[in-house]
Amino acid sequence: MIHAPLAQSGPGQSGNPVRPPLDEAFVASLRQRFGDALALGEGIRRQHGTSEAHFAEALPDAVVFAASTEEVADCVRLCTAAGVAIVPFGAGTSIEGNALPVNGGVSINLSRMDAILAIHAEDFDCTVQAGVRREELNAHLRDTGLFFPIDPGANATIGGMASTRASGTNAVRYGTMRDAVLSLTVVTADGTVIRTGTRARKSAAGYDLTRLFVGAEGTLGIITEVSLRLHPIPEQISSAVCGFATLQGAVDTVVQSIQCGVPLARVEILDDRQMAAVNRWSKLDYPEITTLFFEFHGSPNGVAEQVEIVAGLADANGGGQFAWSNQPEERAKLWKARHEAYYAAVNVRPGAVGWTTDVCVPISRLPECILQTRADIDAGSVPASILGHVGDGNFHVIFSIDPAAPHEFAEVEAINRRLVDRAIAMDGTCTGEHGIGIGKQDWLVAELGDAVDTMRTIKRALDPLNLMNPGKIFTL
């Protein structure tokens, strides 16, 4: 399908189909229960009906700012009784339209649920409410000598990261949210509050409900609390930037480093176009060639050994000198530039709309997949760049599209389709970290086949009225 560009809506307009207004008695029950925490105004509804992606806006009929698990449960019970759709909302940074209320209904905003409930430093774990932002969590943890490593770039909420099974720049060393979450508190579709596990590091007790809800994108229940694994802050952290003569050489260096067993903490690739965009956006002066951003964690001797191996591989593959960032301020500037790469790439054209996509393949197929994708982009007319977490085979393409040019959306749709088909043919996945949402539903079936019917069976069992974030991942 070709997705519509961002809606150019005027007052009173939205991307929603025409629906009858919410029943007055239902609205009255929401107002009685939530008072000023209920928002019906168009401005707030629009904030919950758009995303950073290219999808047309879809406004909810109401927004509830929940402050506790009990309030979420009460809202779910009211919505279920009235047959009204429910969409959980965190920071709103979803890429595949994961939090867009395509069926209207009530968006439950969890941003006020931002309490850090417990830190168990001796056990290397913590429990937080779903609205806690990852940067605030790490600031709180700093004096404990621990940190939470999952870093998707955006200052996302922990609940949203769990719901989309997020990962990011540290995934090659520390894993994804699938690995980080110990247990969850979840409000199910009938308003029941359940806990999916304990803080124990392993368990053989029944079905693994924690993994079921991690990555379910709010379609099975609403995550309100999360218990997380934490890690010691490394004794030494060193970051480096290295430019390469060719894209092939950069990718080969990453693959060979992994194959040599180097425990890279972070390794990000930015192609020449992305580096040019980053330089302009972040006011830097790196060479505008394909570049790897590295970070090494460990003891001083361990880091030195890692660097020696990787530098040797880089040199053999056409890499230049390593530019080091060892001070915390320097590292922060380096990774801030990487995290702003999306905005840098989109804004190479004033007024452009961004379309970003991601795939993940076995690392042995990564060079082939990236090079074929680069050739496909070069044959098109829409500006685009490649970047990604190549240490685990995951990369992104960011397109900068003229919103007044429908043919550009068609062109990008075709390139994206070929990219995802290519990744699946390599025994990869249609999404390494963005989730399915609205945008990747066709390929979920192509990738997993009859397993999607099993997912539908689970969805019907846990949400028989199809009210929990309907229209996402698949259609019933």
Side-chain angles (χ1 to χ4, degrees):
M1 85 184 84
I2 297 176
H3 301 296
L6 285 173
Q8 304 297 309
S9 299
Q13 297 178 313
S14 78
N16 292 73
V18 176
R19 299 185 310 275
L22 293 179
D23 180 78
E24 291 184 6
F26 170 66
V27 174
S29 65
L30 287 177
R31 185 174 287 111
Q32 180 179 13
R33 175 61 182 87
F34 297 104
D36 292 342
L38 170 67
L40 300 170
E42 183 177 331
I44 292 178
R45 290 167 48 228
R46 178 153 282 123
Q47 292 172 11
H48 291 74
T50 58
S51 72
E52 294 185 349
H54 55 282
F55 302 100
E57 66 180 8
L59 273 60
D61 297 296
V63 177
V64 168
F65 290 85
S68 67
T69 296
E70 292 72 22
E71 288 193 356
V72 173
D74 286 346
C75 187
V76 168
R77 293 186 195 107
L78 290 171
C79 289
T80 299
V84 172
I86 309 156
V87 180
F89 188 94
T93 55
S94 62
I95 295 298
E96 295 293 348
N98 317 70
L100 287 178
V102 294
N103 285 23
V106 175
S107 283
I108 302 182
N109 186 307
L110 304 172
S111 63
R112 295 181 183 178
M113 296 180 61
D114 58 356
I116 296 172
L117 301 174
I119 303 293
H120 304 280
E122 67 281 8
D123 293 322
F124 297 91
D125 67 61
C126 68
T127 300
V128 303
Q129 288 184 311
V132 170
R133 303 284 188 116
R134 66 170 187 87
E135 291 181 2
E136 282 68 34
L137 174 59
N138 275 321
H140 187 88
L141 291 170
R142 190 173 294 123
D143 292 340
T144 70
L146 303 174
F147 80 117
F148 172 63
I150 311 302
D151 175 13
N155 189 20
T157 62
I158 299 300
M161 291 170 64
S163 292
T164 55
R165 202 183 302 135
S167 57
T169 59
N170 279 321
V172 63
R173 174 76 173 262
Y174 298 100
T176 73
M177 286 299 284
R178 178 185 63 186
D179 308 294
V181 175
L182 292 169
S183 69
L184 302 166
T185 298
V186 177
V187 176
T188 64
D190 64 357
T192 300
V193 179
I194 65 170
R195 190 180 182 206
T196 63
T198 69
R199 293 191 299 113
R201 287 305 175 109
K202 65 180 183 179
S203 173
Y207 297 157
D208 192 345
L209 294 179
T210 302
R211 300 297 176 273
L212 178 63
F213 286 101
V214 171
E217 301 183 26
T219 62
L220 302 179
I222 300 177
I223 295 170
T224 60
E225 295 179 11
V226 188
S227 291
L228 297 165
R229 297 175 186 262
L230 303 175
H231 295 262
I233 296 174
E235 182 180 359
Q236 180 163 326
I237 301 174
S238 294
S239 297
V241 175
C242 181
F244 285 79
T246 65
L247 182 62
Q248 178 80 55
V251 178
D252 285 347
T253 298
V254 175
V255 173
Q256 292 164 16
S257 297
I258 301 298
Q259 291 171 338
C260 288
V262 178
L264 297 168
R266 291 175 169 176
V267 56
E268 300 286 295
I269 192 168
L270 287 78
D271 71 2
D272 54 347
R273 297 183 186 183
Q274 185 64 65
M275 288 303 297
V278 163
N279 276 345
R280 285 192 293 274
W281 183 261
S282 298
K283 297 179 173 55
L284 301 173
D285 58 357
Y286 289 116
E288 294 180 357
I289 57 178
T290 297
T291 301
L292 293 178
F293 286 30
F294 292 100
E295 190 163 278
F296 304 92
H297 292 182
S299 67
N301 289 339
V303 167
E305 182 180 358
Q306 295 172 41
V307 169
E308 181 180 3
I309 294 171
V310 175
L313 294 171
D315 182 65
N317 286 306
Q321 294 295 313
F322 277 36
W324 291 99
S325 301
N326 292 324
Q327 297 303 314
E329 298 81 8
E330 295 174 348
R331 293 200 309 271
K333 182 179 179 181
L334 172 69
W335 291 107
K336 183 175 186 291
R338 163 60 186 91
H339 290 331
E340 292 179 348
Y342 170 79
Y343 304 104
V346 173
N347 284 284
V348 297
R349 304 169 83 183
V353 170
W355 179 326
T356 182
T357 186
D358 84 311
V359 296
C360 189
V361 297
I363 61 168
S364 63
R365 305 300 300 273
L366 184 62
E368 178 185 3
C369 193
I370 286 184
L371 289 170
Q372 289 183 14
T373 302
R374 179 74 264 174
D376 210 7
I377 292 169
D378 289 342
S381 65
V382 179
S385 57
I386 292 175
L387 71 158
H389 323 304
V390 287
D392 50 16
N394 181 205
F395 70 95
H396 309 259
V397 180
I398 304 173
F399 297 92
S400 180
I401 305 172
D402 180 354
H407 68 278
E408 292 195 2
F409 284 90
E411 179 182 317
V412 170
E413 168 67 27
I415 294 172
N416 183 50
R417 180 170 293 277
R418 291 192 293 272
L419 166 61
V420 180
D421 288 343
R422 182 180 303 126
I424 292 174
M426 294 179 175
D427 204 18
T429 178
C430 64
T431 174
E433 59 185 9
H434 291 172
I436 297 297
I438 302 168
K440 293 284 180 76
Q441 294 186 16
D442 294 346
W443 291 291
L444 179 66
V445 176
E447 180 178 326
L448 296 178
D450 290 343
V452 179
D453 287 334
T454 302
M455 295 182 190
R456 289 191 175 99
T457 298
I458 294 170
K459 168 72 169 173
R460 293 188 187 102
L462 296 184
D463 180 21
L465 299 180
N466 190 28
L467 298 179
M468 303 299 288
N469 206 8
K472 310 301 168 53
I473 302 183
F474 46 70
T475 56
L476 289 179

